[in-house]
Structures are given as C-alpha cells and as structure tokens.
Amino acid sequence: MANELELTLRTEISDNTDAVVVNSKLSALELEIDAAYEHAPFGSHTLDDDGIFQHINTLELAWIGYPRDVLIGHKSFLDFLTPISQIIFQKYFFNNTTYGPIKNLELDLISIDGTVRPILLNSIGVKHRSVIFDMTQAKQHDEKQRIATAAFNSVSGMFITDRNGIILQANNAFTSLTGYSEHDALGKSAHFLSAGQHDQAFYQSMWESLTELGSWQGEIINRRKNGQIFTEWLSISNVVDVHGVTTHYIGNFIDITTSKAAESEAIRFAYFDQLTQLPNRRLLLDRIARELTNAKHSGLTGAVLLINLDKFKIINDTLGHEVGDLLLIEVATRLSNISSATDCVARLNGDEFVLLLTKLDAKPLEAAAQARREGEKVIAVLNAPYQLNGNKFYCTASVSIDLFSESSNAVELLQHIDFAMVQSKKTDHNTLCFFDSATQTAVTNRAIMEAGLHRGLIKNEFTLYFQPQVNQQRKFIGAEALLRWQHPINGLILPEEFTPLAEDTGLISPIGQWVLESACAQLKAWEKNELTMHLQLAVNISAHQLRQDNFIAKVQQLVSDSAINPALLKLELTESMAFNIEDAIEKMVAINAIGVQFSIDDFGTGYASLSKLAKLPLSQLKIDKSFVQNIGIHPTDAVIIKTIIIMAYTLGMNVIAEGVETEAQKAFLEYYGCLFFQGYLFGRPMPIDEFEALLQTN
Ligand code: C2E
Ligand code: MG
Ligand code: MG
C-alpha cells in the first residue's frame, strides 16, 4: 500500500507544476498514514534528510524506550543502531538520493536499556518513511534451523521417525552407512535395518527405556542394503510436545564394526593361544576360578588334568618345527573332540595342555574315578598314530590330575598338577597320576577292585548267604539272600565294601541279575522238599537295577523261565529308592501284578510320606535294625517302632524286624504286635548248606 501511494504521489509531482499544492497534499497524506500506523503490529517512523526522527509509532517507541518528545526532532535513528548496523544504514540512507525504496535491510536496534533487537527495515523513500519488523523470533528459529541442518548433515547417521517409528527423514550419512537412500527409508519402520540378531526381549527393553527415560543407547547389529552385517552404536531420544507426549524419535548412530573387530581381535590375542586357538593360561585360570565357585554352590566338584606329550621335543627336533606345530594343532583337536561342552581344553605352554573337568560327582572317590576315566580317554586318544606332512609317527602322553577338593584356588591347582607331572615323569611315561597320594592309592585300589568285580562276575566268585526269617514261634518262614564276594586272595568280602563301587560303575546290574537268577534257582530247588517248599526268599534290589528300562521284563522273564511260585519271591527296596522315583511305582505295580511281593527295607530311615506309601503295592515293612538295637536305650526309638507297626497294619501290610539280637528285643517287638523277625538271635547269614542243616533242627 505504501508503494502504491508513493507511485501515485510521484506521478502527481511530475504532472503538477504547483509544488506548494503538492506538498500540502503530501503532508495531509503523511498524517493520514501516521495515524493509520500508530497502533500497527510493526514499527514505523519517518526521518528527515539528516536522519532525525520526524514521527514514530507506539510500538517502535516502545522498542527504543525513549520518551517521544525527547526523540522527535532531536535524535537520529542512527543513535539506536549497533555500529555495524549504522554503517549499513548510512550507506543506504545517505546515498539514496533517488528516494528509491530500501528493501529488507537487516539491522540491529538498541534500546535504552541496551537490549539488541534484530529488525528488518523497509523504506518507501517518501519522507524517509520506514516500516520495521521485529525479527527476534524469526532469527531464533532461523538459528535453530541452521544448527539443526548442520547437525543433520554430520558424519553420524541420523533419522527422524514419527511416534510409531516410521522414518520421516534421514541424512546423508545414513545413506553412506546403510546404503539406503533417504527415499528408500522414508515410510519404513526403523526396524527395516534389523539383521535379526536381537531377540524380542532386546527390543522390549529398548522401548521400555524410551518410554521411561526418554532415551536409549547401545550396540545394535543391523544389515546394510548390500547384505553386509554391521554393528552400530545407536542413540535414540524422544521429541515431546508441550504436553510431554512423544511426537517423534531422533536416531543417531555411528558404525563401530571395525572397532568391535579390533576389540575381539585384542581379546583373542590376550586370552587364546595363537597356534591352536585354545584358551591360554590366563583364560584357563579364569575358568577354573569360576568353576571352583560354581562347585561350591552346586555341590558337584571338578578336576584339572595336565597333559604332557612324552616325545614332543624329539619330534620337533627331528621332523622340524612345522610338523611340531601341526602336532600341537592335532592334539588340540583330539582333546577338544573328547571333551564335553561344559569342560574346557586349554594350552598352557609348549606341549602342555590342560583339561578342566566340571560337574564331577560330589563324592571325592567317585569324582577321582571319573577323572581317572577321562585321563585314560585322553591317553588313549593321544596314543593313536599321527599322520602329519607325510610323516606317520606316535607320540604318547602323560596325565596328572588334581581334584577341586585338594585346593582352594586355581593357581594352586595348576601348581599341584605341575608338581605331580614332574614327579611322575622321573619314573614313568604314558601314565596317569594324582597329585594327592591318598587319592592316588584310593583310586588305584578302586581300579583294582573294579577290575576284580568284572573278573568275579566271569569267574563266579559271588555267592549268596542266607539269613533265616522267623515267626513268633521261631519257625523258619523264609530267608533273606545276602550277597558275598569270595575273593581269591582277600577272602570273603561283605557287600558294604563292594556294592557302592558296583553301583557307581553300573556293575551292580549284572551282579543283581545274577543274584535274582540264583535266588529263583534256589526257590525252585526248595520246591522239591516238603521242609523248604513254603520258604519265602527275600532279595535286595539296588536303585540302579530298578532304574533300568527293562527291569519289569527281566523279572517277568525270570519268574516264567524258572517256573517258581512268584509269591515266594520278595523284592526288598529301600525307602528312598521307591519314593523318589515316580516310575518306581509304575514298575512295582507291574511286577506285583504277576504275584511277586515287595518289602521296604531299612524302614524308618527314609522320608516316605504316608500318602505315597499307601499307593505302593507293598506286603511288608522291615523295621531297620538301628531302631531294634536301641530298644531299652533310646525311648524315642521305641515310640518309632510302635508307630511303624501300627502304620503297617493300618495299610494292610505285615511287619518284620531286622537285627534282632536279644530276647528282650524280641519280647518288646512281640508285645507291640510284630509277628516276624530276622537277626543273629535266630541265625547269622550263612551258606546254603548250613542254612538247610539249621532248618532240619528247627
Ligand atoms: P540289608 O538288606 O539291610 O541286610 C541286612 C544286613 O544286616 C545284612 O548285612 C545282615 O548281615 C545284617 N544283619 C542281619 N542280622 C543282624 C543282626 O542281628 N545284627 C547286626 N548287626 N546285623 C545284622 P550284610 O549282609 O552285610 O548286607 C549289608 C547290605 O548290603 C544289605 O543290607 C543290603 O542293603 C546290601 N546287600 C546285600 N546283598 C545284596 C544284594 O544281593 N544286592 C544288593 N543290591 N544289595 C545287597
Ligand atoms: Mg535287605
Ligand atoms: Mg536292612
């Protein structure tokens, strides 16, 4: 509007020669404009030729902060400009002889209190009238915009998504890092870069962090457009509106693939042997320390095995280092192949390797036996011939072992096996030894006994003794078959000495099978004699036997093959065996279905619940001898005996007491209703001839 007015006026000036008329017309117009602009939302002033204020509107006056009368006719507009703005303004104002318009002059106005205000000045020339816009806000916005643009064009990849994670904007670095152009990415979920390496829980925790903390950062594995996987360090932050509601997310990432690779290379270097790629001493110590702690919590134990090649130096010297290296690699492979996933194979140095065994049995002797078996496996696998670089040769190995229970820390364990190796190598090669000499002796004895049990089975060294079971009138109603090992050198060995080892090695199954067969044969033999045909024979069954899948079939087979009366065969199980294992119940029911009887041995020492007991097909409870022997000594044991007897009758079973040695014990048991007895009072376990002879006199 100002420019139109100006044009009209100029036309009028040139057309009209009467300057006085024109000037008064102009002045009238100026006044009209002044009035119109007085309360405008922009600044407005007129200056004379020297730049002195002629008029100023309310808003601009407020910006400057001077009283109007001090300003008008006295102060120059230049007085309220910053030095740089003064130079700019002077250039336009004083050189503008043609009264041409001034367009969008960016100046800084200073108020009386020193505040600087960015303004945009437009002048229409006539009487130097200007309109002024306050640019403070626009400037700020502009500044932010410039910073944002610069940031967005940084070297780190950036993208902006809406609240649903849909990409709205992506920068150049995004393209150079991912291979996707901004156009490729727009409208897609930020998830489209995923390489599928993170699970649901990972993204879940990312979203949780974004909602709760407003940001997330971490490593994330993504896939480039060319299919390549890369690791990025990603920071995401929320953009919220004035109400605190998330409107956008800004993602910012850098590619850390190379630094990751360098990092893992450094780890590989520090913790792994470069030749064999096995863990080195450092990592091994770490693993042992961890396993020592685990062992304390789990109750299981572990062992370390030091493996030393017997002839490595000779092979290295004669066949060359290249073959030596290949041998070490081959040894590493063979050891790794035989070790289980939880074990650890490491290379200590030179030709020394360590096998760390975990999860060994809690019983030290059994753990030692397991470690010995592993050690023997190691020796066997390393003794196999090597075929390397066209050379076929043998290289035996020696093994020294230390159990976790012998040491409290990793370093000590390694010292032990090292010491044991040095000692053993003085006299022997290609053998296995323990650091602890007591363990060594025990393990050796065990190994001897294990071999003996194998031999005993083949050579028929086992035999059954029979201990009478009697009624209240001391009449023999049957016997318990008790196993004995007639050792060729050591003489008669009691079951307590060898059954634990037989259990651990699984040999109890063939031995138990032999016991069952012999018992059935005995029952068959008794059938023929009137004096013995009614005798019931009790046979002890081990937990290992009962666990066998084919146990039911084996018993059924035996009963039918031997054609005995199944009711005369009584299987003795212990409380813990029958009640811990669910499938024991199933097996007992199946076996009972063919008529075989069950008795619970050592009753009162286990923790069977009454409800479980009621579910079992039992015909008898056998009171443990420890209670019987405490009759008259421990009053509480007497209470237990009374309770067991009442319980048995309540559940429809009979009761037998074992370990009865005195008349007083028998009398007490009888008084409380126990009808059957077994113990030295009536006869010790004895060979079949003695048993049958005693029966004659009975
Ligand atoms: P068990 O089944 O509780 O057998 C009773 C044990 O008590 C027998 O020991 C027997 O000799 C002993 N004994 C009997 N009367 C008396 C007595 O009046 N006083 C004392 N102090 N002891 C008495 P044994 O023969 O040494 O057998 C020990 C354990 O070995 C048996 O305990 C049984 O658990 C196991 N066993 C024996 N034979 C076999 C078998 O064939 N197979 C299996 N798996 N285990 C067997
Ligand atoms: Mg028994
Ligand atoms: Mg017993």
Side-chain angles (χ1 to χ4, degrees):
M1 173 197 154
N3 283 348
E4 263 170 50
L5 174 82
E6 181 192 81
L7 242 149
T8 334
L9 288 176
R10 287 199 187 284
T11 326
E12 279 186 34
I13 290 165
S14 53
D15 289 354
N16 204 322
T17 46
D18 190 349
V20 181
V21 176
V22 171
N23 274 339
S24 72
K25 259 194 176 180
L26 269 174
S27 301
L29 260 168
E30 288 291 340
L31 288 175
E32 260 180 63
I33 295 167
D34 285 345
Y37 282 5
E38 186 54 40
H39 299 292
F42 47 81
S44 167
H45 65 229
T46 50
L47 306 177
D48 65 13
D49 287 343
D50 299 320
I52 305 293
F53 280 107
Q54 296 296 297
H55 179 262
I56 185 164
N57 79 347
T58 318
L59 188 61
E60 192 178 338
L61 191 68
W63 290 344
I64 289 174
Y66 255 70
R68 196 185 289 265
D69 49 346
V70 181
L71 210 68
I72 303 295
H74 301 289
K75 290 281 179 187
S76 159
F77 179 56
L78 277 175
D79 296 340
F80 302 100
L81 293 178
T82 59
I84 292 176
S85 294
Q86 284 178 3
I87 297 168
I88 297 170
F89 184 73
Q90 275 173 327
K91 188 174 145 210
Y92 280 93
F93 188 80
F94 294 107
N95 297 338
N96 196 355
T97 46
T98 59
Y99 295 101
I102 302 173
K103 277 207 165 158
N104 293 336
L105 207 58
E106 285 186 36
L107 301 170
D108 287 323
L109 189 72
I110 313 175
S111 79
I112 191 167
D113 64 4
T115 335
V116 177
R117 183 184 306 272
I119 56 166
L120 198 67
L121 182 139
N122 280 282
S123 173
I124 50 175
V126 178
K127 278 210 82 183
H128 309 303
R129 173 177 291 282
S130 297
V131 289
I132 297 171
F133 299 99
D134 181 0
M135 300 303 288
T136 313
Q137 281 205 334
K139 265 271 156 89
Q140 276 170 357
H141 180 257
D142 193 47
E143 201 89 311
K144 278 188 194 154
Q145 191 69 39
R146 268 209 329 271
I147 293 167
T149 310
F152 212 68
N153 286 321
S154 73
V155 285
S156 56
M158 285 182 86
F159 58 90
I160 297 173
T161 75
D162 66 11
R163 79 180 86 215
N164 300 314
I166 302 298
I167 297 176
L168 304 174
Q169 212 179 329
N171 72 350
N172 292 340
F174 177 97
T175 303
S176 52
L177 291 173
T178 66
Y180 290 100
S181 68
E182 187 182 24
H183 183 260
D184 289 334
L186 293 191
K188 292 206 172 81
S189 156
H191 200 61
F192 91 103
L193 291 169
S194 164
Q197 307 247 340
H198 303 286
D199 56 9
Q200 197 68 32
F202 176 86
Y203 291 105
Q204 181 77 28
S205 83
M206 178 194 280
W207 278 109
E208 272 165 19
S209 167
L210 282 172
T211 10
E212 281 161 26
L213 310 171
S215 67
W216 178 88
Q217 56 179 338
E219 270 179 40
I220 189 163
I221 298 169
N222 278 341
R223 192 190 298 280
R224 295 190 226 276
K225 194 177 184 178
N226 65 9
Q228 198 180 43
I229 303 271
F230 71 107
T231 310
E232 61 182 45
W233 181 261
L234 173 66
S235 324
I236 308 177
S237 43
N238 297 13
V239 179
V240 290
D241 65 13
V242 286
H243 308 293
V245 177
T246 300
T247 57
H248 298 84
Y249 293 101
I250 298 178
N252 188 318
F253 62 94
I254 51 168
D255 186 344
I256 56 166
T257 314
T258 33
S259 55
K260 284 290 286 181
E263 186 188 339
S264 61
E265 179 65 10
I267 289 172
R268 218 174 51 76
F269 220 82
Y271 292 102
F272 290 86
D273 169 45
Q274 296 309 296
L275 179 68
T276 61
Q277 308 304 325
L278 291 179
N280 63 13
R281 184 189 194 93
R282 198 162 154 196
L283 185 53
L284 175 72
L285 283 170
D286 199 67
R287 274 293 306 272
I288 297 176
R290 222 169 53 206
E291 291 302 337
L292 277 169
T293 317
N294 286 350
K296 276 194 197 101
H297 294 303
S298 70
L300 296 175
T301 181
V304 283
L305 277 65
L306 177 64
I307 298 144
N308 187 294
L309 303 181
D310 291 331
K311 288 194 294 185
F312 182 70
K313 195 175 149 29
I314 301 170
I315 290 163
N316 219 14
D317 290 348
T318 54
L319 298 177
H321 291 264
E322 203 184 321
V323 175
D325 282 357
L326 289 175
L327 173 62
L328 294 173
I329 294 169
E330 174 67 16
V331 167
T333 312
R334 289 186 187 185
L335 291 177
S336 303
N337 287 346
I338 58 162
S339 71
S340 83
T342 51
D343 299 339
C344 166
V345 183
R347 181 175 173 217
L348 267 199
N349 47 49
D351 62 345
E352 286 193 320
F353 295 82
V354 166
L355 177 58
L356 166 65
L357 299 177
T358 61
K359 305 200 169 39
L360 298 184
D361 203 287
K363 287 176 275 172
L365 205 56
E366 176 58 9
Q370 290 172 325
R372 180 180 64 85
R373 281 197 287 276
E374 284 303 311
E376 281 168 353
K377 250 202 294 189
V378 166
I379 290 180
V381 75
L382 296 185
N383 279 3
Y386 295 86
Q387 179 85 49
L388 300 169
N389 254 9
N391 306 284
K392 185 179 175 180
F393 58 89
Y394 290 86
C395 180
T396 59
S398 300
V399 173
S400 62
I401 305 175
D402 196 28
L403 297 175
F404 278 13
S405 49
E406 306 295 338
S407 309
S408 54
N409 65 62
V411 175
E412 203 174 88
L413 275 167
L414 291 192
Q415 281 168 351
H416 283 179
I417 46 176
D418 200 47
F419 175 79
M421 180 63 77
V422 173
Q423 294 305 104
S424 133
K425 281 237 170 179
K426 282 181 188 161
T427 52
D428 260 328
H429 284 101
N430 198 19
T431 52
L432 182 148
C433 69
F434 279 83
F435 162 72
D436 177 58
S437 58
T439 311
Q440 177 75 56
T441 314
V443 166
T444 311
N445 288 344
R446 236 177 104 101
I448 292 169
M449 187 183 267
E450 193 181 330
L453 285 174
H454 278 283
R455 189 202 54 232
L457 255 176
I458 298 164
K459 299 217 161 173
N460 248 328
E461 291 170 8
F462 295 104
T463 178
L464 286 184
Y465 272 38
F466 296 83
Q467 185 176 31
Q469 295 188 333
V470 304
N471 63 14
Q472 286 180 321
Q473 291 73 43
R474 297 170 194 253
K475 269 200 76 73
F476 287 14
I477 50 142
E480 177 172 8
L482 292 160
L483 184 62
R484 298 292 181 264
W485 181 10
Q486 190 64 57
H487 195 276
I489 299 163
N490 303 340
L492 196 72
I493 305 179
L494 291 174
E496 243 113 55
E497 256 186 81
F498 65 86
T499 46
L501 176 63
E503 285 269 353
D504 288 341
T505 54
L507 275 170
I508 196 72
S509 287
I511 295 174
Q513 179 68 14
W514 175 86
V515 172
L516 265 175
E517 282 167 16
S518 308
C520 288
Q522 191 56 61
L523 279 172
K524 194 72 203 164
W526 280 345
E527 248 181 36
K528 297 183 188 92
N529 189 329
E530 228 174 282
L531 205 62
T532 51
M533 63 192 300
H534 67 283
L535 295 177
Q536 197 181 35
L537 193 54
V539 173
N540 294 285
I541 300 297
S542 79
H544 201 278
Q545 263 175 297
L546 190 66
R547 268 203 305 273
Q548 285 182 308
D549 287 337
N550 56 358
F551 185 65
I552 302 173
K554 273 185 171 172
V555 175
Q556 285 171 342
Q557 183 78 35
L558 245 176
V559 168
S560 77
D561 283 0
S562 55
I564 52 154
N565 172 6
L568 296 179
L569 180 63
K570 187 165 65 181
L571 303 185
E572 288 193 6
L573 306 178
T574 58
E575 245 183 307
S576 53
M577 271 160 63
F579 299 94
N580 288 344
I581 322 159
E582 261 315 304
D583 88 329
I585 299 177
E586 214 181 294
K587 285 176 175 162
M588 286 170 73
V589 170
I591 291 167
N592 184 240
I594 59 166
V596 175
Q597 305 293 296
F598 281 101
S599 176
I600 292 291
D601 205 353
D602 307 336
F603 192 78
T605 57
Y607 299 93
S609 74
L610 204 59
S611 61
K612 277 193 179 165
L613 205 60
K615 281 190 206 139
L616 295 172
L618 295 173
S619 56
Q620 189 176 64
L621 292 188
K622 197 174 196 182
I623 302 173
D624 189 63
K625 57 177 173 287
S626 60
F627 301 114
V628 175
Q629 274 150 20
N630 280 331
I631 289 173
I633 301 168
H634 284 298
T636 46
D637 284 358
V639 176
I640 291 172
I641 288 175
K642 285 184 247 176
T643 314
I644 292 176
I645 294 169
I646 295 167
M647 192 163 91
Y649 291 142
T650 316
L651 294 169
M653 306 168 193
N654 67 56
V655 193
I656 186 167
E658 68 175 359
V660 182
E661 293 180 357
T662 66
E663 293 294 345
Q665 288 164 353
K666 180 181 181 263
F668 178 92
L669 289 157
E670 224 166 22
Y671 181 80
Y672 285 101
C674 181
L675 302 177
F676 306 106
F677 312 91
Q678 181 183 341
Y680 294 168
L681 185 63
F682 318 100
R684 292 189 172 246
M686 56 194 107
I688 187 67
D689 316 340
E690 280 179 41
F691 178 82
E692 285 176 350
L694 191 65
L695 187 73
Q696 297 283 346
T697 63
N698 184 250

